[in-house]
Amino acid sequence: MTIRGVRAAYDASADAWAAGPDVMYAELGRALVASAPVPVAGASVLDVGAGTGVAARAALAADARLVVAADLAPGMLRHCAAPLRAVAADLTALPFRDGSFDLVTAAFCLSHLDRPLDGLREARRVGAAIVASAFQPDWDHPAKSAIDALLRQLGYEPPAWYAELKGTGEPQVGDPRQLTELATAAGFTDVDVRLVAVPSGLATPRQQAAWRLGMAHVAPFLQTLDEATRAAVHQEAELAISRADAGPLIAPIVLLAAT
Ligand SMILES: C[S@@+](CC[C@H](N)C(=O)[O-])C[C@H]1O[C@@H](n2cnc3c(N)ncnc32)[C@H](O)[C@@H]1O
């Protein structure tokens, strides 16, 4: 996967992400930290692929002693306010010594790697434990389908990095059996992988539209439209979701907890 494409997309989307997807990812980040295989209170925590720092903030709220947020995209990290410490870094080549952290959190980022094993090995090197999440592949919700249909009408095509992610990293980490094998191959010995459904906190059509339109594979496309058209797309998206009678969104995810 082109790291440059991923970084550019997340950098360009950072504000839209913070105003949209962040709501849902914050709920998922809390669920992730609650599943940590070691006590979080008093721990040193590294949140890799931290984005706007939702899991990092959840670790702070759980009384972690020190939390570092690492991400490829400096634009996303700008939303990680103190006391979080933000470090721009590739999660497959982290600038930390062996055993620097009690816990590594990896929320929805291993799917962005062609070889998730590389990220898991690096987490194993710098941390004593990991808790990681991924979406179950091919999950759907009426709000997602409604926005995908609307975007197609506008001539949107998914960027190459996103199409690649769907074909490489996501199927590996979204599959409980493969994720278990990967974590074991990375050197974790006590590995637990489970499927869970987490209420997303996205209740209204407005929140659900902001979620879909703020994703990094979509927001850069919307930025190519003029402001009036963009506003019209947001309105149309809310209408499409209302018409789809989407209802609340429960996210089906795969959770890995390992030491
Ligand atoms: C789906 S977002 C999730 C962000 C955050 N963890 C959350 O749950 O909201 C994926 C994040 O992984 C980051 N990312 C992707 N590949 C990465 C890599 N090789 N190294 C570090 N970060 C990466 C992206 O920049 C993005 O911020």
Side-chain angles (χ1 to χ4, degrees):
M1 196 156 336
T2 61
I3 274 201
R4 218 176 296 155
V6 173
R7 183 192 293 123
Y10 279 97
D11 269 337
S13 312
D15 290 345
W17 183 286
D22 194 88
V23 172
M24 165 168 139
Y25 282 81
E27 293 295 335
L28 301 178
R30 279 189 277 276
L32 179 84
V33 167
S35 303
V38 292
V40 178
S44 56
V45 177
L46 172 67
D47 185 22
V48 295
T52 53
V54 288
R57 289 199 297 272
L60 278 179
D63 292 329
R65 172 172 56 80
L66 159 88
V67 185
V68 176
D71 199 282
L72 264 190
M76 295 291 271
L77 289 174
R78 272 197 283 279
H79 294 273
C80 296
L84 293 180
R85 304 182 190 184
V87 175
D90 179 348
L91 71 91
T92 64
L94 292 165
F96 305 110
R97 291 201 192 96
D98 296 2
S100 297
F101 298 92
D102 298 316
L103 174 68
V104 175
T105 56
F108 305 100
C109 54
L110 294 172
S111 57
H112 290 57
L113 306 176
D114 294 334
R115 287 174 42 88
L117 178 59
D118 296 345
L120 285 164
R121 279 204 175 115
E122 192 62 345
R124 178 74 185 140
R125 182 184 70 75
V126 302
I130 187 170
V131 63
S133 56
F135 289 107
Q136 294 171 31
D138 302 327
W139 74 284
D140 209 358
H141 180 268
K144 259 178 100 177
S145 318
I147 301 306
D148 287 351
L150 174 64
L151 288 170
R152 273 196 301 277
Q153 283 168 27
L154 292 166
Y156 164 82
E157 287 201 29
W161 67 266
Y162 185 71
E164 245 181 273
L165 165 161
K166 290 278 165 196
T168 56
E170 191 171 281
Q172 293 179 61
V173 294
D175 175 58
R177 189 185 51 80
Q178 287 191 60
L179 185 56
T180 304
E181 285 172 8
L182 288 168
T184 306
F188 293 101
T189 49
D190 192 355
V191 177
D192 179 61
V193 175
R194 60 187 60 186
L195 301 179
V196 294
V198 184
S200 68
L202 298 175
T204 65
R206 169 164 292 201
Q207 286 178 316
Q208 292 179 357
W211 158 53
R212 285 322 286 167
L213 299 178
M215 296 293 286
H217 62 287
V218 173
F221 167 78
L222 291 179
Q223 285 161 13
T224 65
L225 308 175
D226 62 69
E227 209 176 311
T229 310
R230 212 161 41 234
V233 172
H234 270 269
Q235 259 188 350
E236 190 51 46
E238 286 178 38
L239 268 177
I241 291 171
S242 305
R243 279 196 294 265
D245 201 14
L249 191 149
I250 315 281
I253 67 174
V254 184
L255 268 184
L256 160 72
T259 55

